[in-house]
Amino acid sequence: MAVANTTKTSWRLQEIVAHSSNVVCLALGKNSGRLLATGGEDCRVNIWAVSKPNCIMSLTGHNNPVECVKFNNSEEQVVAGSQSGSLRVWDLEAAKILRTLMGHKANICSLDFHPFGEYLASGSMDTNIKLWDVRRKGCVFRYKGHTQAVRCLAFSPDGKWLASASDDSTIKLWDLTAGKMITEFTAHTGAINIIQFHPNEYLLASGSSDRTIKLWDLEKFKMIGSSEGEMGPVRCLAFNLDGCCLYSGAVDSLRVYGWEPDRCFDVVSVGWGKVADLAICNHQLIGVSHKLTNVSSYVVDLTRVKKSGSVIQGVIQDDQPLTEPSPKGSTLRRNYDRPLTTCSTQRVKQSSESDRRSPEGERRSPSSEDEKESSAEIRNPEDYKEIFQPKSPGLLNLPVASSTPVLRVEPTVVATAPRPIPVVTARPPTSNHPPAPHPAPPPVVAMAKAKPQPSVILSTRNEPIGLNVGDFLPPARNNRPSVLGDDEALAQIRKGHDTMCVMLTSRHKNLDTIRAVWGSGDVKTSLDSAVSMKDLSIVVDILNIVNLKPSLWKLDLCTSILPQIEELLQSKYESYVQTGCTSLKLILKRFWPLISDTLTAPPSVGVDITREERHQKCKACYKQLKNLSNVVKNKADQVGRHGSAFKELQLLMAPLDY
């Protein structure tokens, strides 16, 4: 056993040869701080116990280099994204492939598991973000907005939001239940490498290649701090477990930051090179980095690091005293609603296991052959059983040190870390809350069939389609609604208004732009501007106005709007379909006779430029109408109001076939 070092603040724990070819990515398990996943150019994902030299498991299945890896919160699953854009999820306890997900068109750059529901987010060099339902192997939503690679993704602690950071120097905040962007932060001047939510408060930290760290208030959606002084790009961020300070990892250094006002409490020199990930456990910070085929792990003793008090570097004035820290438990911002029980862990596990056994789940797989080729090779059976298949509930024990004398390890480095214990009863653990007079509800049955999705989303819908809102919320303690006090009730009423205001402000801004163009009297230019915004909701708003006054329609307008009508008719939203049907009906009634007469008229004598232009426009409209006739024909068999509207359109479009 190596002799404990009682004087150093940081030291290297060990260096291992992790892959047969270059290591591309790393990820630490944030729950225990003791598990490490590595991905390499050899297309493998290897699982390690920090401070042990031997690989526990080697996961195969990817046919391209692994570019990104991530553990789920309980460290029972790991997901890996490849250079080709495919994802694979492994169940580490069962030692087998769980899911293969295909859909991205380029390298996977970022991954994160949802804290409660069985959802997974992935970001790619194709600039898209996809939200996956791990149970059904399906992409639930695609979030578009970034213009370059999405480098980092993070779910909020309450599971309601997803933050994304990109090489385009922007951070976007997405509302999962609404499926829309809430706001965008644009103060960074370089690619953003890392984002991290505060564990309790509505606060987000971001680190960039511009060598700055910025903090964002998620209630007011504004920047509240910007710290400078890093010697290189900021690669990793981690809030202290109690949220009192922020740790920043850059080349060979760790910095400790405070905010409001911005200040740097401490700088620790660590020889970890380009650190790739950080985790905190037992008052120690673990950092990992890679170079070629090797992976190195480092330890920083946080008991020797300043987290408050004197400032060694900051942007505040010398004559301005530091504000006293807030009393413990009080914050400047609202706190997240956190889960009160561990029942969600049980639901995750039951759902995944039952889905694997379900024949229905097997039929849903579009790539079962890929899964057969995937494997989880257990390299170290003893460590595997100790960590992933404990015989009795207990602690994850890791050895004190490698026998290699060159590695120096503090005794506290290997102190036992709690391992999540699978819940075998539906009763929540004891807490400070008074016991319920009735027994706790039974766990959610994972085998229940999913609610079928309607082909058309009604205008009067009261929930997003394709998502169960409850999956993104902390589990309830019991079935009985809790009685809220006046303050809590008012907070619930106000909740979400900021989000809605940001969304409506963005839409209002776009409509103001259209209105400014509309003021010139050029309706076509207004519609062209709406189309260029690539937001169908804006196009629908403009069409609803134009449809009320048919005299505004001109032939020029038809050529611009017919391609948009095709999208509207195939939309899932009832209101979009209705607007598209109304517009198409007006076009057919007003312009079909003109289009037909122009195209069937004999050639004119001499040169008539106006007639030639009209002929070209009519020809373009006819071609677009022919495409639309196929869409209408396919939808005319529907029942109800939509079926009637499409049948009427089919009759109006009948002359197109002659």
Side-chain angles (χ1 to χ4, degrees), residues 470-635:
D471 287 345
F472 294 94
L473 302 176
R477 283 172 291 179
N478 50 52
N479 283 333
R480 299 185 309 152
S482 58
V483 179
L484 298 178
D486 290 345
D487 292 341
E488 291 176 320
L490 285 172
Q492 289 291 332
I493 293 171
R494 287 194 297 265
K495 190 182 294 182
H497 283 201
D498 288 341
T499 302
M500 180 59 69
C501 286
V502 170
M503 294 168 59
L504 291 176
T505 300
S506 173
R507 188 164 178 178
H508 186 265
K509 182 180 177 182
N510 287 337
L511 288 172
D512 269 348
T513 303
I514 303 301
R515 187 183 178 193
V517 180
W518 186 283
S520 66
D522 189 347
V523 179
K524 184 179 185 304
T525 305
S526 301
L527 261 172
D528 287 342
S529 299
V531 170
S532 66
M533 290 177 179
K534 296 183 178 178
D535 185 348
L536 273 182
S537 64
I538 302 296
V539 175
V540 169
D541 287 340
I542 304 301
L543 282 179
N544 284 336
I545 296 170
V546 178
N547 289 343
L548 293 174
K549 195 171 183 181
S551 60
L552 291 175
W553 282 95
K554 307 294 180 186
L555 192 59
D556 283 348
L557 217 58
C558 299
T559 57
S560 298
I561 211 61
L562 279 171
Q564 301 302 309
I565 290 176
E566 185 171 359
E567 287 190 49
L568 294 177
L569 294 184
Q570 298 183 83
S571 172
K572 296 188 296 183
Y573 299 102
E574 181 186 42
S575 59
Y576 287 18
V577 176
Q578 289 172 351
T579 300
C581 287
T582 303
S583 298
L584 182 56
K585 197 183 302 181
L586 283 169
I587 290 172
L588 288 168
K589 288 182 176 179
R590 290 182 63 85
F591 296 102
W592 172 245
L594 172 64
I595 293 170
S596 177
D597 291 345
T598 302
L599 295 180
T600 56
S604 61
V605 178
V607 178
D608 188 342
I609 296 177
T610 304
R611 186 180 184 281
E612 284 297 320
E613 289 178 351
R614 185 167 62 249
H615 188 275
Q616 289 299 322
K617 292 173 185 175
C618 289
K619 188 175 180 181
C621 287
Y622 178 78
K623 184 177 180 182
Q624 292 164 353
L625 287 170
K626 282 290 287 183
N627 293 335
L628 280 170
S629 67
N630 295 325
V631 176
V632 170
K633 191 180 300 181
N634 292 333
K635 292 181 175 289

Side-chain angles (χ1 to χ4, degrees), residues 244-310:
C244 67
C245 63
L246 177 68
Y247 302 107
S248 162
V251 175
D252 289 333
S253 70
L254 175 76
R255 289 175 182 259
V256 188
Y257 288 106
W259 55 93
E260 294 174 317
D262 301 328
R263 53 207 189 272
C264 179
F265 292 126
D266 207 349
V267 177
V268 181
S269 178
V270 191
W272 53 28
K274 296 180 179 179
V275 61
D277 200 10
L278 301 175
I280 298 173
C281 185
N282 294 335
H283 305 293
Q284 293 185 323
L285 183 141
I286 311 296
V288 287
S289 62
H290 61 88
K291 185 176 181 180
L292 300 178
T293 61
N294 291 3
V295 170
S296 300
S297 55
Y298 294 79
V299 179
V300 178
D301 186 351
L302 296 181
T303 62
R304 296 178 177 274
V305 174
K306 296 178 182 178
K307 305 180 189 66
S308 61
S310 60

Side-chain angles (χ1 to χ4, degrees), residues 90-108:
W90 283 272
D91 185 324
L92 299 178
E93 289 193 342
K96 63 196 298 188
I97 187 76
L98 178 61
R99 290 289 179 263
T100 299
L101 306 170
M102 315 287 283
H104 282 292
K105 298 177 182 178
N107 311 44
I108 302 296

Side-chain angles (χ1 to χ4, degrees), residues 190-207:
I192 301 169
N193 302 317
I194 183 72
I195 46 178
Q196 188 79 35
F197 280 95
H198 190 282
N200 303 310
E201 300 178 33
Y202 273 46
L203 191 66
L204 180 73
S206 58

